[in-house]
Amino acid sequence: MARINQSLGEFIIENQKEFAYSSGELSRLINSIRLAAKMVNHEVNKAGLVDITGSAGGVNTQGEDQQKLDVFANDVFIRTLTNREIVCGIASEENEDYITIPGNNSDHKNKYVVLIDPLDGSSNIDVNVSVGTIFSIYRRITPMGTPVQEEDFLQPGNLQVAAGYIIYGTSTMLVYTTGHGVNGFTLNPALGTYYLSHPNMQFPEDGTIYSVNEGNYVHFPQGIKDYIKYCQQEEGNRPYTSRYIGSLVSDIHRNMIKGGIYMYPKSSTSQNGKLRLLYECNPMAFIIEQAGGKASDGVTRIMDLKPTSLHERVPFICGSKNMVEKAEEFIAKY
Ligand code: AHG
Ligand code: MN
Ligand code: MN
């Protein structure tokens, strides 16, 4: 039984039985993510004090500027997961290729792979706005005892065994699901412990917030343009409120609590939108659906898409069920 103020450690132990093939490994895996998240949190909180904001001078695999904290967070998560010998492979938004982790005696016996966006919304760091971390966990499909393969990472979202995000906001929270609902834990920074603060999170079926980078309006498909106009019309509970932080984790976290829709559609300048299927859309979709919301590319359920490459992007429309369905209606007209 989830109890408010229960610590994350206690919660993981109590709920371990819920995992289909539980042998404690998934619990240990989530434990190591919680540790890495504390380290990143500590660093994020110091941003501005020491010389860690700004660009690291490199570009990541998608040609985007790497921020120093991107690099730091990437290193921390990879190191923590590698040291604990629990996963057989890691794919990160910041690395071109996946990493193979041979494990104890190089026996390749670990069964989980982790996909991670170590720092989401990193362009917001320098201006003291919330950022996040997103993670997605699968069981490998290639035989144990052999090195992990790319196909272990290219599984559809509906095969995720767990997914979660950390939001480094006014407080730091870890929100995750193992397919039995969504629970949110808030970090008490004095104790370094996460406590259950948001049990059984539910995405309101309806909402009055729409979140989209409207600066791209002229490039959007007609269906999206029409839906945005619909959001702005005066009728019933409309016009809706526009809220866009530019940190996916923060925008969705807010919408999940208050009710709303988030859109990163395709546009005439980027045919697949911007967000990455494996590191951003699938894990957020798993959480959103587990909370009763909906996530699609405008037509197809995100978690039913069959990934074809590690860094592929997809249009992403997610949030309150009724709002997403309304947007899909507009898209279907064209
Ligand atoms: P990341 O920092 O991991 O590259 O992700 C940034 C993403 C996402 O967090 C956010 O919703 C989106 O980029 C914002 O993009 P625009 O600035 O194009 O609106
Ligand atoms: Mn991101
Ligand atoms: Mn990122």
Side-chain angles (χ1 to χ4, degrees):
M1 247 305 274
R3 294 183 309 277
I4 202 96
N5 285 338
Q6 182 176 30
S7 76
L8 175 56
E10 292 164 7
F11 181 91
I12 290 173
I13 293 166
E14 261 183 42
N15 291 280
Q16 190 173 305
K17 293 174 290 297
E18 282 185 348
F19 312 144
Y21 306 84
S22 172
S23 58
E25 275 166 281
L26 188 56
S27 299
R28 286 202 294 131
L29 179 40
I30 290 171
N31 260 322
S32 66
I33 288 173
R34 126 185 116 145
L35 172 66
K38 267 192 257 183
M39 293 158 76
V40 173
N41 177 64
H42 187 68
E43 209 64 20
V44 166
N45 281 183
K46 288 191 301 190
L49 278 179
V50 286
D51 182 31
I52 49 170
T53 59
S55 169
V59 287
N60 71 5
T61 126
Q62 285 108 56
E64 297 155 337
D65 271 350
Q66 271 184 327
Q67 306 288 311
K68 284 178 200 161
L69 269 172
D70 278 328
V71 178
F72 178 84
N74 195 38
D75 290 348
V76 166
F77 276 98
I78 290 174
R79 219 179 328 115
T80 310
L81 290 166
T82 309
N83 288 348
R84 295 229 174 163
E85 305 266 357
I86 349 174
V87 294
C88 56
I90 304 170
S92 163
E93 177 196 90
E94 299 298 333
N95 295 79
E96 181 149 7
D97 288 318
Y98 63 84
I99 299 166
T100 304
I101 300 170
N104 279 329
N105 318 314
S106 294
D107 58 5
H108 300 281
K109 281 281 159 55
N110 296 324
K111 56 175 176 283
Y112 294 107
V113 296
V114 174
L115 297 95
I116 190 156
D117 177 355
L119 207 75
D120 171 66
S122 47
S123 64
N124 277 323
I125 298 163
D126 291 4
V127 290
N128 209 348
V129 170
S130 302
V131 291
T133 295
I134 310 171
F135 62 91
S136 169
I137 302 171
Y138 294 84
R139 230 180 326 273
R140 65 181 301 175
I141 49 176
T142 54
M144 302 245 287
T146 62
V148 70
Q149 302 291 324
E150 190 173 59
E151 61 193 283
D152 293 313
F153 299 96
L154 299 183
Q155 302 185 54
N158 56 35
L159 292 175
Q160 288 172 102
V161 293
Y165 62 79
I166 296 107
I167 174 168
Y168 311 99
T170 40
S171 59
T172 295
M173 279 186 72
L174 190 153
V175 174
Y176 80 102
T177 183
T178 54
H180 301 272
V182 180
N183 290 288
F185 300 81
T186 301
L187 179 66
N188 177 331
L191 302 177
T193 307
Y194 294 90
Y195 292 98
L196 182 62
S197 52
H198 295 62
N200 192 22
M201 294 178 81
Q202 295 293 321
F203 224 117
E205 273 201 2
D206 259 305
T208 54
I209 295 172
Y210 74 104
S211 311
V212 62
N213 186 343
E214 246 171 297
N216 296 328
Y217 185 87
V218 288
H219 300 300
F220 286 152
Q222 195 56 44
I224 295 287
K225 285 182 175 166
D226 290 357
Y227 177 68
I228 291 175
K229 286 295 157 217
Y230 167 88
C231 293
Q232 297 168 343
Q233 261 160 23
E234 188 161 23
E235 200 187 321
N237 61 355
R238 287 173 287 139
Y240 297 152
T241 299
S242 165
R243 289 283 183 274
Y244 189 75
I245 297 168
S247 283
L248 179 73
V249 166
S250 315
D251 278 308
I252 292 180
H253 182 75
R254 178 204 54 237
N255 288 0
M256 182 153 72
I257 290 171
K258 295 195 165 181
I261 184 169
Y262 176 95
M263 300 184 282
Y264 210 109
K266 67 175 170 189
S267 66
S268 54
T269 49
S270 52
Q271 265 312 300
N272 297 311
K274 175 182 186 187
L275 301 176
R276 297 85 169 170
L277 175 58
L278 296 181
Y279 314 110
E280 296 174 316
C281 304
N282 269 336
M284 294 314 281
F286 190 20
I287 294 165
I288 289 164
E289 285 195 10
Q290 282 293 316
K294 211 174 160 176
S296 83
D297 65 0
V299 180
T300 308
R301 181 186 179 221
I302 285 291
M303 291 206 287
D304 287 340
L305 297 172
K306 175 75 188 96
T308 54
S309 67
L310 284 178
H311 297 288
E312 81 181 277
R313 299 164 192 265
V314 287
F316 194 42
I317 302 193
C318 65
S320 292
K321 187 170 164 288
N322 294 341
M323 298 177 87
V324 172
E325 283 170 3
K326 185 52 114 182
E328 286 172 338
E329 266 175 43
F330 278 93
I331 292 164
K333 285 183 191 152
Y334 295 92

